[in-house]
Amino acid sequence: MQRRAAAIYVALFVVIGAASYSLLATAETPEIEFQNPEYELTSGQTFQAGSQTYNVTGITAEMEGGGHGSAASLARSGTIEYTNQSADYTASWANNSTVTIDNTTWIVLAPDGENATEFTLREDVNETALLQQDQNAEDELVTVNGTQQVVIQENGTRRLVPASEYFPAPRSQNYSQGGTLNYQGNQTTVTTVGGGAVEVSWTAPRTNTIEVSDRGNVTLGDQTYLAYFPNNETMQLTNNFENYNAQSEQIETFHTHENGLWGISILSFLTAFFLVGMAYMPSRY
């Protein structure tokens, strides 16, 4: 009688466990899906958002994690670039520093006074290069009685020429605060002068990079989008956050039910196993 009752309960729990497992085996995990995203892009594709043109420079898919016994997961991401045609640039030139303008190197002579409004650019004469170009001149200067001299060898004779006479006088150019000059191919404005430095500013194109993560937000212009990568080659951008949140809640609910079914299956099979074991235990009476 004891074994017959146990068999009935064992069969009941096996049926319950099998039914739960069959639901797990046939259930399909819901996935995020956007029917009409604002943008569906691939690597190398150019698109327009507002008044700005963007370019998808890359989409990557890499396995991350997996250390210390944990499973690795697939991480997808993308890169978007755009060019700001009128980006602001600034530079600071310290006193006695050098800058290159129109293929010529200049020494910055910036006044220390806080109320200064002008500064000077003095040509940086490359004495070493001039000496190397002169076949009759030695490559190094010599100092005689505290004066630097250039050694000239001509017709077997050696003579000294003062460096101040040998090298050309450096050119100088003066600039005022608010004035302009051509720097790195750009029309550059002298914004401030004084304190031993000169501040200049200009506008020029600048390429900017935006890193896009899966299910992360990305702002293009004045619009924020949700980025989603349905596969390793495609990036979708949508501003339908409500749809995304609803699908995310649905997936979370599915996993909650899935975990419950796993619990029912495992508990049912364990109960059936212990019932069989207890039913065949030898009786003491």
Side-chain angles (χ1 to χ4, degrees), residues 31-265:
E31 296 182 353
I32 299 295
E33 183 178 3
F34 299 108
Q35 296 295 333
N36 296 298
E38 278 63 35
Y39 300 96
E40 188 160 7
L41 308 164
T42 57
S43 182
Q45 186 172 348
T46 299
F47 66 101
Q48 192 85 10
S51 60
Q52 182 67 54
T53 299
Y54 298 86
N55 181 40
V56 181
T57 56
I59 294 177
T60 59
E62 300 177 345
M63 299 301 296
E64 295 183 350
H68 305 287
S70 62
S73 59
L74 180 64
R76 295 171 175 146
S77 62
T79 305
I80 297 176
E81 288 186 354
Y82 70 97
T83 301
N84 182 353
Q85 298 296 336
S86 301
D88 293 328
Y89 290 82
T90 61
S92 179
W93 301 340
N95 185 44
N96 286 325
S97 64
T98 59
V99 296
T100 301
I101 299 176
D102 296 331
N103 298 320
T104 301
T105 302
W106 303 85
I107 299 174
V108 179
L109 302 178
D112 291 329
E114 295 295 335
N115 297 323
T117 59
E118 294 184 351
F119 75 101
T120 301
L121 292 179
R122 186 182 66 199
E123 183 182 12
D124 184 17
V125 178
N126 191 336
E127 296 179 349
T128 301
L130 292 176
L131 291 174
Q132 291 175 347
Q133 292 171 5
D134 189 346
Q135 296 180 353
N136 296 323
E138 294 186 1
D139 291 344
E140 295 183 359
L141 299 174
V142 297
T143 302
V144 178
N145 296 328
T147 303
Q148 288 189 318
Q149 306 281 335
V150 178
V151 180
I152 303 295
Q153 297 278 358
E154 289 180 324
N155 301 323
T157 62
R158 182 174 181 269
R159 62 187 179 91
L160 300 177
V161 178
S164 59
E165 298 179 8
Y166 178 86
F167 297 109
R171 295 173 293 168
S172 295
Q173 297 181 0
N174 296 324
Y175 294 93
S176 300
Q177 184 172 306
T180 60
L181 53 90
N182 185 24
Y183 176 62
Q184 295 184 350
N186 301 289
Q187 191 75 2
T188 302
T189 301
V190 179
T191 53
T192 59
V193 178
V198 176
E199 298 285 341
V200 296
S201 62
W202 67 96
T203 60
R206 174 188 286 140
T207 299
N208 300 281
T209 301
I210 302 175
E211 300 295 337
V212 184
S213 59
D214 190 22
R215 308 191 187 193
N217 291 347
V218 56
T219 300
L220 304 179
D222 57 357
Q223 181 67 55
T224 299
Y225 298 91
L226 172 75
Y228 178 66
F229 296 79
N231 52 56
N232 295 345
E233 293 81 30
T234 306
M235 175 171 58
Q236 295 178 340
L237 300 179
T238 180
N239 53 22
N240 193 347
F241 289 92
E242 293 183 1
N243 185 17
Y244 170 74
N245 292 332
Q247 293 187 70
S248 298
E249 291 179 3
Q250 182 181 1
I251 293 174
E252 184 176 352
T253 300
F254 173 85
H255 287 307
T256 299
H257 293 166
E258 186 179 45
N259 292 335
L261 289 173
W262 273 114
I264 292 174
S265 295

